[in-house]
Amino acid sequence: MAACTGSDKPTVRDIFTSMQYGPAPEAANVAQAWLDSHNRSFGHFVDGKWLQPEGRQTYTTKNPATGESLASTVQGNEEDVEVAVSAARKAFETWSKLPCHVRARYLYSIARTVQKHQRLLSVVESMDNGKPIRESRDCDVPLVVRHFYHHAGWAQLRDTEMNGWKPLGVVAAIVPWNFPLMLLTWKICPALAMGNTVVLKPATYTRLTALLLAEICAEAGLPPGVFNVVTGNGAFGEKLAVHPNVDKVAFTGSTEVGRTLRKATAGTGKKLSLELGGKSPFIVFDTADLDGAVEGLVDAIWFNQGQVCSAGSRLLMQESIAEDLIQRLKQRLSHLRLGDSLDKAIDVGALVDETQKKTITEFVKEARAEGAQVFQAPGPIPKKGLFYPPTLITGVDTTSGCVREEIFGPVLVAMTFRTAKESIALGNNTPYGLAASLWTENLPLALEVALSLKAGTVWVNGHNMFDAAAGFGGYKESGFGRDGGKEGLYEYVRPNWESRPHPNPGDVNVKTFAVAYGVDVPPIPGQNVICPSVIKQEDTEIPSVDRTYKLYYGGAQKRPDGMYSRPICGPNGEVLAYVADGNRKDVRNAVEAAHKAAPGWGKRAAHNRAQIVYYMAENLELRRDEVAQRLSTLTGQSKEKALHEVDLSIQRLFYWGAFCDKYGGTVQETLLYGATVLIREPMGVVGIACPDESPLLSFVSLFAPAIVRGNAVIIIPSEKCPLPALDFYQVFDTSDLPGGVVNILTGGRDHLSKYLAEHQDVQAMWYFGSAEGSKFVEWASAENCKRTWVNYGLPREWDDVHQGAGEEFLYHATQCKNIWIPMGEIFAN
């Protein structure tokens, strides 16, 4: 190599000979000037102006890469929440009534203004968070712009494309520190496009770009109060979420905090969406391009220092290529460069905070103690700043802590598999279900595995690809709800007929709620007048053959585990029949039966499911008079009204049968050169508690949309009037419905709902009962983050086509998966 000059600085010749990277710093002068213009002290941004309340504590934001103090921000309190929510509520009254085109113009203006300040946003984001400037400049901020443009379009089209829906009101958006600017945009864009106003709380560590965006929105002309930013700690965020005038909480963060918010908002009538943690599999088959897979791993786990909820942190390799892949990966790791976030030539930046570094260090230390092999990138680590070397852990099994837990850092764990079926089993062997990626040149294999993985996003030969036109969100303990795409708009609207519920369930003792069994209606003979059933034979009345109403699960009638019955009384108090009184063991048995049936039912051709539902309608009509007479006797309504309810139930079956093959998904128009396919998958096993009103029609209106979309259900019919639902035993048996798809449990609604809501293997719970029961169901669902749909004690008009049917039911019966499939051999023009 040529000698250096006397100044010891390498010449151009030296650089080309050694091919070593030199520093390529991004200028921070404009960002520093913005901070100085605010005297490096920020308050809240509320009602279109800065709010500096007196007597508040402050938090100092530091650059994780250098330790430099950037600015101080306010630690808000309840008074600040009140001011911000009041401003948003006042603004909602005018913002929600604006013509769609006017709202679209505002969002378009914000997109244009963000583009004018794109470089400033990128630099502040990297200084605030520690991520490389290349990532904030080339990924985060362009996606912010894309979301504003995309949702300006949805604002324009709301009245046509979202006909039948209306805005919620005030949205509380709470976002994490790993993508401070991008993730807040995912919340506010659909919220504003649908006519809501927003109060945003950024993460404690990373507040600056949220405050900068608030200024940019004001510069773009957004009316005061439409978008407000308040800062504070975690407890402050909970105060915002539980404020009575907040109508919706949109949260991205850890699963633990998501559970806390679910419990805090239970029974309040607020809508909630949660995008939580993940432990995403990165599956490499022996048909993969291994060099491409290695580069994909760099994007999957070392992008943003691994501080990504969808990080591909579990490498699953087919055994035959595992050794080769690991060697290539170690070689690639040796070339990764750590350094200042504003250096355009570095690959990995700084961790956001010292506590995060300690957590990652403990996970790796624990893995070593368990006997795992740990390989870390050999490159130099900066002496200043919060840096951690890219790490690969091998020699682990499925029970290892580093395999099970979300580390949220630049740490990859690797395991092997032999067959595609085993890769699916390992991929799904996690409580999370946020994302996954598959690496193979065999497209049929990729699609089959993608459909089998329980994850909200699956990438083929790629990872961490995002776009405003495709929703992002999780299955299982990765939460519910979507950010982006048309599917994301439903998180910020309610049906036109529905008013915001304001239930008052009071204090519900979650430990004792509905624990008692067989107490509300003691099944003791002789308590009520018995109405004997008789028939006439040759002018002589004789007792009819006694009919025993049992439970129904697994396609068969079953006696209840407790061997108790409960009386069902007519309008005058006479006992018309006894039905089985189910308990927690019956719930267990029914859930097991549903899980046996669910996979096969979900994979049936949609046409076949439709034929079975139409067959139900046919068989119900054959028994029209019989069912109507029993309904009339049970409820006291006239025979004509009972016949009308039966006829509506038949119509409802036809309605839902028609949707079997008409709501499967679409192709999303993302920026990907390829196809992004949205598939609406079944939730899995759904628990349903029916109301007492319209006992037959509500029963049909709830189980039918669930099963037509491929779910298996455990349904609790009307507690007071279950007999019409029990007449469906014969309808199901004569309609070729596979056993276990619909399982019926009679008994106390709240008692059975309690154990369905608490069950770890029930994926969703629909409850139509009391306000207290609604609160308990939402509270109990937090344990495994199951989706809930409750009525907060408010009745529906089940004979109304808007309230008893429609897209709302389909929304609750499905979960969206986006599969990203790139293409490119000839790149044809």
Side-chain angles (χ1 to χ4, degrees):
M1 187 172 71
C4 293
T5 63
S7 63
D8 289 331
K9 290 184 179 180
T11 65
V12 173
R13 181 183 180 87
D14 296 334
I15 294 171
F16 273 97
T17 302
S18 67
M19 292 303 289
Q20 291 182 348
Y21 283 101
E26 173 73 32
N29 55 321
V30 177
Q32 299 287 6
W34 176 72
L35 294 171
D36 290 337
S37 72
H38 289 276
N39 296 317
R40 297 184 179 263
S41 177
F42 293 87
H44 309 299
F45 195 89
V46 175
D47 207 17
K49 55 184 180 292
W50 290 103
L51 176 65
Q52 284 278 9
E54 295 181 358
R56 304 291 188 269
Q57 293 182 337
T58 59
Y59 174 84
T60 300
T61 296
K62 295 183 178 181
N63 184 335
T66 64
E68 169 197 5
S69 294
L70 298 175
S72 64
T73 51
V74 167
Q75 296 283 69
N77 62 17
E78 286 187 47
E79 182 182 335
D80 303 332
V81 170
E82 183 65 41
V83 171
V85 173
S86 296
R89 175 62 60 188
K90 180 181 177 182
F92 174 72
E93 299 305 318
T94 53
W95 178 254
S96 61
K97 295 179 175 64
L98 288 176
C100 290
H101 177 64
V102 175
R103 276 197 302 273
R105 280 176 174 251
Y106 278 119
L107 288 173
Y108 181 83
S109 178
I110 295 171
R112 301 290 278 186
T113 309
V114 167
Q115 284 184 305
K116 296 170 187 175
H117 300 291
Q118 196 160 337
R119 199 71 168 207
L120 172 60
L121 283 163
S122 301
V123 175
V124 174
E125 186 80 330
S126 288
M127 292 170 63
D128 197 19
N129 169 272
K131 65 175 62 185
I133 182 65
R134 287 189 296 115
E135 293 178 7
S136 56
R137 180 195 66 199
D138 300 338
C139 177
D140 294 18
V141 178
L143 267 172
V144 168
V145 174
R146 166 74 172 138
H147 271 264
F148 275 111
Y149 277 130
H150 181 77
H151 287 92
W154 282 123
Q156 176 71 45
L157 299 173
R158 192 199 71 177
D159 286 354
T160 53
E161 294 298 314
M162 297 295 290
N163 185 31
W165 300 86
K166 66 182 181 181
L168 298 169
V170 176
V171 174
I174 303 173
V175 295
W177 45 258
N178 56 333
F179 291 92
L181 181 62
M182 188 176 79
L183 291 181
L184 76 85
T185 308
W186 291 12
K187 310 296 185 190
I188 69 172
C189 286
L192 299 185
M194 293 298 100
N196 303 280
T197 54
V198 177
V199 179
L200 170 79
K201 183 217 164 286
T204 299
Y205 300 146
T206 53
R207 306 174 176 187
L208 298 183
T209 46
L211 296 167
L212 174 54
L213 182 66
E215 275 194 326
I216 289 172
C217 288
E219 180 183 317
L222 190 69
V226 173
F227 174 47
N228 309 274
V229 179
V230 290
T231 56
N233 57 19
F236 176 74
E238 185 172 338
K239 292 173 184 175
L240 172 62
V242 301
H243 191 285
N245 280 332
V246 165
D247 304 293
K248 151 83 181 188
V249 179
F251 173 76
T252 295
S254 70
T255 298
E256 181 183 356
V257 176
R259 288 195 182 102
T260 299
L261 284 175
R262 172 69 286 180
K263 291 180 178 180
T265 58
T268 62
K270 300 177 190 293
K271 199 165 184 175
L272 177 69
S273 58
L274 301 173
E275 195 260 278
L276 307 177
K279 193 72 178 178
S280 302
F282 186 106
I283 305 174
V284 185
F285 293 97
D286 57 10
T287 51
D289 171 3
L290 296 189
D291 287 331
V294 168
E295 291 306 312
L297 274 166
V298 173
D299 287 336
I301 183 60
W302 294 298
F303 173 64
N304 198 27
Q305 300 74 252
Q307 299 170 136
V308 186
C309 49
S310 59
S313 53
R314 286 190 297 145
L315 170 60
L316 305 178
M317 311 165 287
Q318 201 147 16
E319 269 189 3
S320 58
I321 51 96
E323 184 177 347
D324 186 9
L325 183 62
I326 290 296
Q327 285 303 116
R328 295 178 193 231
L329 184 57
K330 288 180 178 179
Q331 178 67 22
R332 183 67 180 88
L333 272 172
S334 67
H335 295 287
L336 292 180
R337 302 179 72 246
L338 284 71
D340 191 324
S341 58
L342 292 185
D343 185 347
K344 295 187 283 288
I346 60 107
D347 301 299
V348 181
L351 301 173
V352 73
D353 187 75
E354 183 65 40
T355 56
Q356 187 66 15
K357 184 177 179 180
K358 288 180 180 178
T359 300
I360 296 167
T361 303
E362 284 300 313
F363 270 113
V364 175
K365 181 179 178 182
E366 180 184 333
R368 277 199 175 100
E370 291 176 352
Q373 290 81 52
V374 176
F375 177 86
Q376 294 185 313
I381 299 175
K383 296 179 180 179
K384 185 169 60 173
L386 301 172
F387 294 92
Y388 194 86
T391 301
L392 170 65
I393 301 178
T394 55
V396 294
D397 57 41
T398 55
T399 61
S400 301
C402 60
V403 175
R404 301 290 301 171
E405 301 295 330
E406 184 181 31
I407 299 174
F408 220 64
V411 180
L412 176 68
V413 296
M415 300 173 62
T416 61
F417 63 89
R418 293 181 180 179
T419 66
K421 279 192 175 181
E422 187 182 0
S423 75
I424 294 168
L426 288 171
N428 288 330
N429 185 31
T430 172
Y432 300 109
L434 190 57
S437 65
L438 313 171
W439 295 79
T440 175
E441 298 298 301
N442 184 340
L443 185 58
L445 171 65
L447 291 178
E448 186 174 17
V449 175
L451 288 171
S452 301
L453 291 172
K454 302 300 182 185
T457 299
V458 180
W459 297 287
V460 177
N461 295 333
H463 204 99
N464 282 335
M465 294 184 285
F466 308 104
D467 189 76
F472 183 79
Y475 288 18
K476 301 189 288 187
E477 292 184 23
S478 289
F480 45 83
R482 295 294 180 265
D483 292 320
K486 186 176 182 180
E487 59 267 35
L489 302 180
Y490 293 97
E491 305 304 323
Y492 298 94
V493 292
R494 72 172 82 254
N496 278 340
W497 64 267
E498 186 180 64
S499 299
R500 157 73 151 91
H502 289 281
N504 185 24
D507 292 329
V508 175
N509 189 326
V510 295
K511 292 185 178 180
T512 61
F513 178 81
V515 169
Y517 169 63
V519 172
D520 294 337
V521 186
I524 302 172
Q527 285 186 308
N528 301 83
V529 176
I530 306 296
C531 182
S533 178
V534 297
I535 61 171
K536 280 191 176 183
Q537 285 187 357
E538 299 177 355
D539 298 326
T540 303
E541 288 188 348
I542 63 172
S544 62
V545 177
D546 180 72
R547 182 173 182 183
T548 303
Y549 290 99
K550 301 177 185 176
L551 306 176
Y552 182 79
Y553 57 83
Q557 298 184 47
K558 307 281 188 178
R559 294 192 181 277
D561 171 81
M563 303 301 281
Y564 278 114
S565 299
R566 57 192 294 126
I568 302 302
C569 299
N572 298 319
E574 72 279 17
V575 176
L576 300 179
Y578 280 90
V579 299
D581 199 10
N583 64 19
R584 63 188 301 171
K585 291 185 178 179
D586 299 310
V587 170
R588 176 200 63 192
N589 296 338
V591 171
E592 289 178 359
H595 269 288
K596 288 180 181 178
W601 178 247
K603 290 180 179 178
R604 281 205 179 205
H607 173 72
N608 181 261
R609 290 200 302 267
Q611 293 302 303
I612 290 173
V613 175
Y614 290 140
Y615 203 2
M616 290 180 195
E618 178 183 334
N619 286 318
L620 179 59
E621 187 162 81
L622 289 174
R623 306 180 62 190
R624 176 175 179 267
D625 288 335
E626 172 197 346
V627 173
Q629 183 58 57
R630 187 170 289 113
L631 187 61
S632 175
T633 302
L634 184 63
T635 61
Q637 62 182 316
S638 67
K639 180 69 176 294
E640 290 74 18
K641 287 187 176 180
L643 283 168
H644 181 61
E645 184 170 341
V646 175
D647 290 340
L648 283 177
S649 300
I650 296 168
Q651 290 179 32
R652 203 64 46 93
L653 286 168
F654 256 75
Y655 174 85
W656 289 119
F659 266 108
C660 279
D661 56 1
K662 297 176 183 65
Y663 198 71
T666 187
V667 175
Q668 311 273 44
E669 298 186 86
T670 66
L671 299 181
L672 176 73
Y673 183 69
T676 305
V677 182
L678 165 66
I679 298 176
R680 293 187 176 95
E681 295 191 327
M683 293 298 304
V685 172
V686 179
I688 303 175
C690 296
D692 287 329
E693 61 265 21
S694 303
L696 175 63
L697 182 58
S698 62
F699 173 78
V700 170
S701 299
L702 287 168
F703 87 75
I707 68 168
V708 301
R709 295 313 314 161
N711 299 284
V713 303
I714 300 101
I715 188 165
I716 307 162
S718 164
E719 183 174 330
K720 292 181 179 178
C721 307
L723 301 186
L726 302 185
D727 284 327
F728 256 84
Y729 293 173
Q730 285 78 18
V731 172
F732 293 145
D733 289 341
T734 56
S735 302
D736 296 333
L737 182 72
V741 173
V742 177
N743 307 275
I744 304 175
L745 300 181
T746 53
R749 180 194 297 116
D750 287 347
H751 181 71
L752 295 171
S753 294
K754 168 183 170 64
Y755 296 111
L756 282 170
E758 291 177 341
H759 201 292
Q760 294 291 296
D761 218 5
V762 172
Q763 282 70 52
M765 182 69 200
W766 302 356
Y767 176 89
F768 292 82
S770 65
E772 294 78 13
S774 296
K775 180 175 182 177
F776 176 82
V777 165
E778 290 190 330
W779 188 92
S781 72
E783 189 61 32
N784 71 336
C785 300
K786 63 167 62 69
R787 269 176 67 179
T788 59
W789 182 20
V790 303
N791 70 333
Y792 302 107
L794 302 174
R796 283 185 179 228
E797 298 295 332
W798 292 96
D799 56 352
D800 184 295
V801 293
H802 301 294
Q803 298 188 37
E807 197 172 15
E808 180 187 16
F809 290 76
L810 294 168
Y811 163 79
H812 286 288
T814 57
Q815 51 190 348
C816 295
K817 172 186 286 183
N818 278 289
I819 303 176
W820 295 64
I821 311 166
M823 62 185 182
E825 285 289 338
I826 58 175
F827 291 91
N829 291 323

